Amino acid sequence: MELRGSFLPHFRICPSSRLQLKAAKSIPVSCNVRVSYSFGRETFPASYNRGRIVEVLCNDSSHSTQQSSITHSDISRLPELSFDRVQLSDEDVCTEERRVFGRFVARGAVLDEEYWTAAWLRAEAHWESLSYMRHVDSLKRKFAEEEFYALKRRCCGREGNSLKCFCLVAVKTEDKNVRRTVLNSVVGTLDLSIRQFLHGETFPGELKKVNAVLVSHEAYGSPRYAYIANLCVAKYARRQGIATNLLYLASDMAISAGMKQLFVHVNVDNKPAQALYSKAGFQVVEAAPPSKDQRLLMCMEL
């Protein structure tokens, strides 16, 4: 299947041999250019936005549900995105934290295009069951754009009670004499964050509203833990161990960071996700207070 979509007004097409997106410096104007990209059997529009909370295999309301609207300063800092950019070779990615399995490798995202593809996968997964809706492509674009900005903010600095955040991606390994674009390479993603318990909090997510002043005063004294969120895999690449190996990489990185516990929230009615986490070593935290949004807290002891 081909990826089809039109650019949002925030961007303009630059005359170049490679397709690039640049932040507009003046008032946005409409753009009717249509672009097609190949992304396996997935539909991938070139424009993007974010709307609601990611609710796929895991769901984190503490930092994913309340994202501020995109500001002009965000737009002005938008990096150039080349959707025909070739995926980096294994030798070009300098990271010790990786996990090779089958035809894939799980590691931290490096390129902005990898962050963008991760955001789009989350949009695809979120709206997957509502693909029949009218204007669903616009909703996906809205979801993905805001997730891209939010993901970059989370990974570039501290946010709420999250001290550090990593975007992990699973990419296809190189075939001999075949170089894929980034969009055709990234097939899975999740967020791993290192967090601290807030005053009065026994389990992650007990306090829905985070006081920034309180967090700053407790930053160096509160117990810390690892938390995963937004785990999803491209529809055409599922059942190949991608989600499981992303979880294993996340647990390895959490151990390297000195964490003793790795938590995740999962919807009560999401039985496949619960089975996945249980198989990976997570257990339901029975002592955790009931969640008003129908989520279970699961934990892996590291």
Side-chain angles (χ1 to χ4, degrees):
M1 253 180 157
E2 284 185 310
L3 304 143
R4 293 189 174 91
S6 57
F7 289 110
L8 288 178
H10 296 314
F11 309 106
R12 63 170 179 266
I13 304 300
C14 302
S16 171
S17 60
R18 299 180 65 184
L19 178 63
Q20 296 181 328
L21 296 180
K22 284 190 175 180
K25 295 182 179 179
S26 58
I27 298 176
V29 295
S30 61
C31 178
N32 297 319
V33 178
R34 300 288 297 182
V35 184
S36 297
Y37 301 111
S38 175
F39 186 48
R41 296 195 294 273
E42 294 294 295
T43 301
F44 197 117
S47 53
Y48 48 98
N49 257 294
R50 179 184 172 188
R52 298 190 294 170
I53 180 173
V54 173
E55 190 175 296
V56 193
L57 295 181
C58 55
N59 193 346
D60 177 16
S61 63
S62 62
H63 75 224
S64 294
T65 57
Q66 303 295 331
Q67 295 297 345
S68 59
S69 59
I70 300 172
T71 65
H72 289 290
S73 61
D74 286 327
I75 295 172
S76 65
R77 293 193 300 268
L78 183 73
E80 295 183 3
L81 299 175
S82 300
F83 289 124
D84 60 346
R85 183 169 186 168
V86 175
Q87 180 63 47
L88 296 175
S89 65
D90 294 339
E91 293 76 15
D92 294 331
V93 180
C94 300
T95 175
E96 296 180 359
E97 300 288 357
R98 65 170 62 199
R99 186 179 182 88
V100 180
F101 58 100
R103 300 183 297 109
F104 308 97
V105 57
R107 56 169 175 77
V110 177
L111 303 173
D112 284 319
E113 289 81 2
E114 292 177 340
Y115 284 96
W116 154 245
T117 311
W120 177 255
L121 287 177
R122 297 170 189 188
E124 281 280 295
H126 179 68
W127 293 102
E128 183 177 326
S129 62
L130 302 173
S131 58
Y132 59 87
M133 289 180 56
R134 187 179 182 184
H135 308 309
V136 69
D137 286 341
S138 297
L139 295 173
K140 288 179 184 179
R141 290 193 292 269
K142 179 177 177 62
F143 191 111
E145 180 178 301
E146 292 193 11
E147 174 60 18
F148 173 78
Y149 284 103
L151 181 57
K152 291 290 289 184
R153 285 196 297 269
R154 292 197 298 269
C155 293
C156 290
R158 182 175 165 186
E159 182 172 285
N161 67 329
S162 177
L163 306 177
K164 184 71 175 177
C165 182
F166 308 90
C167 175
L168 306 186
V169 292
V171 300
K172 298 175 184 176
T173 54
E174 292 181 291
D175 291 333
K176 188 176 182 180
N177 299 324
V178 175
R179 298 297 299 276
R180 302 184 183 89
T181 62
V182 175
L183 302 187
N184 282 311
S185 298
V186 178
V187 294
T189 179
L190 70 75
D191 287 349
L192 169 67
S193 56
I194 306 301
R195 302 184 178 186
Q196 61 182 357
F197 285 109
L198 303 177
H199 179 71
E201 190 178 49
T202 306
F203 300 101
E206 281 188 286
L207 301 181
K208 299 301 181 183
K209 295 183 178 180
V210 179
N211 186 308
V213 176
L214 182 62
V215 170
S216 63
H217 282 291
E218 295 187 350
Y220 302 102
S222 301
R224 301 182 181 187
Y225 62 92
Y227 188 92
I228 58 175
N230 303 333
L231 170 61
C232 57
V233 177
K235 188 175 181 179
Y236 72 91
R238 293 172 186 171
R239 298 189 179 280
Q240 299 185 65
I242 295 172
T244 300
N245 280 277
L246 281 169
L247 290 174
Y248 288 155
L249 176 61
S251 64
D252 290 342
M253 294 177 64
I255 292 173
S256 298
M259 300 298 102
K260 301 299 182 183
Q261 293 176 307
L262 177 61
F263 290 96
V264 63
H265 278 104
V266 59
N267 291 338
V268 173
D269 59 352
N270 196 340
K271 301 301 181 182
Q274 294 175 35
L276 170 68
Y277 293 123
S278 296
K279 183 179 179 181
F282 287 83
Q283 294 182 337
V284 175
V285 182
E286 301 290 352
S291 173
K292 293 182 180 180
D293 49 5
Q294 298 297 304
R295 299 187 306 161
L296 292 175
L297 178 64
M298 302 185 73
C299 176
M300 175 192 291
E301 298 293 336
L302 303 175

